[in-house]
Amino acid sequence: LAKHPEIKALMKPDYNLIWVVVLMVLAQLTAFYLVKDLDWKWVVFWAYVFGSCISHSMTLAIHEISHNSAFGNCKAMWNRWFGIFANLPLGLPYSISFKRYHMDHHRYLGGDGIDVDIPTNFEGWFFCTRFRKFIWIVLQPFFYAIRPLCINPKPITRLEIINLLAQLAFDVAIYYLWGVKSIFYMLAGSVLGLGLHPISGHFIAEHYMFLKGHETYSYYGPLNLLTFNVGYHNEHHDFPNIPGKSLPLVKKIAAEYYDNLPQYNSWIKVLYDFVMDDTISPYSRMKRQLKGEVKQD
């Protein structure tokens, strides 16, 4: 910032995010209706080909909202309510809890017992062969859901209860209106989209140490169009209050800081390399013992 103070001008809400999220919710509602009378094989097909992409993209929209990118820091609660709305087509309550834990990830990156993005000791010990690492990738959504309860459980808040009740009401409404196939499409799309899926390469690409000494990596490929530029991950951790829409400008303005860092060209290759490289496992993360006062949401 001292060298490039113009970056401060990018620290403002991205109001286009609101309309993109609304359109994504409408797209999924349309899909719920269209799949209700299809054969099961086509329900599964469209859940993976279309629903999974929308669902994973929506989790990254929720990531943006967790940083108050939709309405700005001055309207923090508006972002929380909008996150609950964005959560609806995923089928499972997620938004409010994600916000609480994700802020810890930014404040205490790699903090032992705090950052739940770090795999558990069991994950590192058990998923150590190529086949087991493949299964670990498939089961990623389950580990991301269970890991906070093992590493850093937090008291349930009123907003989390509201998130849960709103989600249950929405799921019941979809089942009542369009039946079990729409519910299956919704839940399967979320599980498949966060598991063995090209977009899921970002989970591993972001912080797994393929190169010693480099714990955060960026990806500048076309899948950023579906993921609100989450691939610009070094830039995001440097400036978490800048919406994903503006992160390419951060890289352009401060190119001398980013152009020479290790980067990825393919999230699919990241998944392949993670499975096939015997030197890489869930243990390939930087873990820190935190000192001093720790403040959590």
Side-chain angles (χ1 to χ4, degrees), residues 9 54 73 106 113 130 175 212 226 249 264 273 275 277 280:
I54 294 290
N73 293 322
H106 276 275
R130 292 180 180 182
Y175 177 77
K212 300 301 180 184
L226 298 176
L249 289 176
Y264 295 114
D273 289 344
V275 171
D277 189 336
I280 302 295

Side-chain angles (χ1 to χ4, degrees), residues 7 9 20 25 30 55 65 92 94 119 137 154 195 240 268:
I7 287 177
V20 172
V25 171
T30 303
S55 292
I65 296 166
L92 298 169
Y94 158 82
I137 290 174
K154 297 183 178 185
I268 296 175

Side-chain angles (χ1 to χ4, degrees), residues 51-241:
S52 62
C53 296
I54 294 290
S55 292
H56 199 134
S57 183
M58 188 63 86
T59 67
L60 294 167
I62 291 172
H63 167 255
E64 287 285 291
I65 296 166
S66 76
H67 286 280
N68 295 335
S69 293
F71 295 97
N73 293 322
C74 62
K75 295 181 178 179
M77 281 305 299
W78 288 38
N79 289 282
R80 301 294 78 73
W81 294 119
F82 192 56
I84 292 173
F85 168 75
N87 195 152
L88 295 177
L90 296 178
L92 298 169
Y94 158 82
S95 176
I96 299 300
S97 297
F98 173 79
K99 156 73 175 178
R100 299 178 72 198
Y101 284 103
H102 188 63
M103 295 304 102
D104 293 339
H105 171 67
H106 276 275
R107 292 188 188 117
Y108 309 109
L109 181 62
D112 190 17
I114 302 295
D115 184 0
V116 299
D117 196 56
I118 298 289
T120 61
N121 288 330
F122 169 77
E123 291 171 75
W125 168 76
F126 185 78
F127 295 101
C128 56
T129 67
R130 292 180 180 182
F131 176 73
R132 291 179 184 179
K133 286 191 289 182
F134 175 81
I135 297 300
W136 184 77
I137 290 174
V138 173
L139 298 178
Q140 273 192 105
F142 298 101
F143 286 113
Y144 271 94
I146 295 171
R147 196 182 294 148
L149 304 177
C150 300
I151 295 178
N152 186 19
K154 297 183 178 185
I156 296 175
T157 65
R158 181 178 65 90
L159 276 178
E160 285 175 304
I161 294 173
I162 293 172
N163 194 175
L164 172 63
L165 293 178
Q167 192 63 60
L168 288 175
F170 179 82
D171 293 353
V172 169
I174 295 299
Y175 177 77
Y176 178 79
L177 289 172
W178 298 321
V180 68
K181 289 181 179 178
S182 296
I183 289 290
F184 176 85
Y185 167 89
M186 174 168 56
L187 297 175
S190 296
V191 173
L192 293 171
L194 296 170
L196 187 62
H197 195 280
I199 300 178
S200 292
H202 82 85
F203 288 132
I204 294 171
E206 289 166 359
H207 296 295
Y208 284 78
M209 293 182 64
F210 283 79
L211 295 175
K212 300 301 180 184
H214 294 275
E215 62 174 304
T216 302
Y217 301 81
S218 289
Y219 157 82
Y220 301 119
L223 289 179
N224 279 303
L225 296 173
L226 298 176
T227 58
F228 300 90
N229 286 329
V230 76
Y232 288 76
H233 217 67
N234 277 298
E235 294 84 348
H236 172 60
H237 272 268
D238 285 346
F239 302 101
N241 55 343

